[in-house]
Amino acid sequence: MTTPSPEIGQRIVAAGIETNVHDMGTGFPVLMIHGSGPGVSAWANWRLVMPALAEQARVIAPDMAGFGFSARPDGYAYTMDNWVAQAIGVLDALEIEQADLVGNSFGGALALALAIRHPQRVRRLVLMGSVGVPFEITPGLDAVWGYTPSLENMRALLDLFAWDRTLVNDELAQLRYAASIRPGFQESFAAMFPAPRQRWVEAMASAEADIRAIDHETLVIHGRDDRIIPLANSLTLAQWIDRAQLHVFGRCGHWTQIEHAARFARLVGDFLAEATPESTH
């Protein structure tokens, strides 16, 4: 008998997309949206912090269309409009009227766009190493989005992600490489971010005026030594969003939730616990 993969949660239909979603814990819902690395899934991104946050909240972590174990429909347009519709569809399918949002990198851009378009569906906002504002694409992000499958390429990417190289061992590289070559994974990934890739940075950005109009309590988190998404992004978000607070982890790359998992879970848990279920934003 084969052991089921921990990356597989339950299947729901969200905005017409068969969606793999993890749903654990009780309390006020928190929707956690993963990043856009090759072979990524919600579980791969959030596995170290979901159990801690699930002690106080209902943690919802979907694989977005084109990633992980959610559907990859033929002809599907991988656009922010469609991803936002899917995220709202997850909430609708689970009959959740309002949730806290935690977005990592690409997921931060998605969380921003969702909060702008559907403010009443969001209570509090957490943006981690976030895309969503204009910036010149880094060599690191260009390498991530331009990944072609090989163990050597995956190892090189993981070295870019983490400040602490001891986190990047051969076993992790093999696991993430194996994930990136599952049927359909690389095909959808390559279709999302073809060169030139600066245009995808811009396609994910929300308008400055819209970001400045956000009135949700927002926690902005970044690794000081991030080589994928520049720290300047989070400084910008913290300046533009009126009710923002900023936390920067030193000795940390793009993997805040992995490199500083316990601190990340406490920081986010405390921030979300400040709100009462009845409060909106």
Side-chain angles (χ1 to χ4, degrees), residues 12-19 85-91 93:
I12 62 173
V13 177
I17 300 294
E18 273 211 14
T19 300
Q86 184 193 7
I88 289 292
V90 168
L91 298 180

Side-chain angles (χ1 to χ4, degrees), residues 25-272:
T26 57
F28 195 83
V30 52
L31 182 67
M32 305 189 75
I33 306 174
H34 59 73
S36 62
V40 76
S41 68
W43 183 85
N45 248 201
W46 303 118
R47 66 189 184 281
L48 299 182
V49 297
M50 285 196 294
L53 290 172
E55 291 177 8
Q56 71 178 66
R58 180 182 177 187
V59 174
I60 315 289
D63 289 346
M64 301 312 296
F67 295 101
F69 295 88
S70 291
R72 295 167 164 74
D74 288 341
Y76 184 82
Y78 294 109
T79 64
M80 193 55 70
D81 286 346
N82 284 343
W83 280 314
V84 168
Q86 184 193 7
I88 289 292
V90 168
L91 298 180
D92 289 346
L94 299 175
E95 299 183 339
I96 294 169
E97 287 187 21
Q98 191 182 56
D100 294 322
L101 283 189
V102 180
N104 167 27
S105 194
F106 151 81
L110 207 168
L112 261 180
L114 194 157
I116 287 165
R117 299 172 197 192
H118 304 276
Q120 75 285 359
R121 302 300 293 269
V122 180
R123 185 180 70 163
R124 287 193 161 209
L125 190 57
V126 179
L127 305 171
M128 188 191 97
S130 187
V131 186
V133 295
F135 67 98
E136 184 176 339
I137 193 167
T138 61
L141 182 57
D142 201 45
V144 170
W145 282 350
Y147 168 83
T148 54
S150 76
L151 189 55
E152 294 72 24
N153 288 350
M154 181 58 79
R155 178 75 201 223
L157 276 194
L158 296 184
D159 277 334
L160 283 174
F161 272 101
W163 180 86
D164 181 356
R165 295 296 178 277
T166 63
L167 287 172
V168 181
N169 55 33
D170 291 336
E171 182 186 14
L172 178 62
Q174 180 62 50
L175 278 171
R176 288 302 294 264
Y177 166 65
S180 77
I181 57 169
R182 288 182 184 127
F185 272 48
Q186 180 60 21
E187 289 81 354
S188 60
F189 186 73
M192 278 180 218
F193 309 117
R197 297 185 180 90
Q198 180 66 41
R199 57 188 163 152
W200 309 120
V201 170
E202 287 152 13
M204 289 186 190
S206 293
E208 178 178 348
D210 291 338
I211 297 173
R212 287 184 180 276
I214 290 173
D215 67 350
H216 300 76
E217 290 282 351
T218 301
L219 172 62
V220 184
I221 301 171
H222 216 106
R224 181 194 63 201
D225 311 295
D226 192 335
R227 291 196 285 168
I228 310 294
I229 304 300
L231 173 59
N233 276 26
S234 285
L235 301 178
T236 297
L237 287 165
Q239 289 173 330
W240 287 359
I241 300 173
D242 184 48
R243 298 176 187 235
Q245 50 187 289
L246 173 66
H247 191 101
V248 179
F249 286 97
R251 299 165 70 93
C252 182
H254 191 54
W255 272 353
T256 312
Q257 83 287 13
I258 292 171
E259 296 183 73
H260 293 268
R263 285 172 160 182
F264 176 89
R266 278 197 302 274
L267 180 68
V268 173
D270 287 349
F271 172 71
L272 300 181

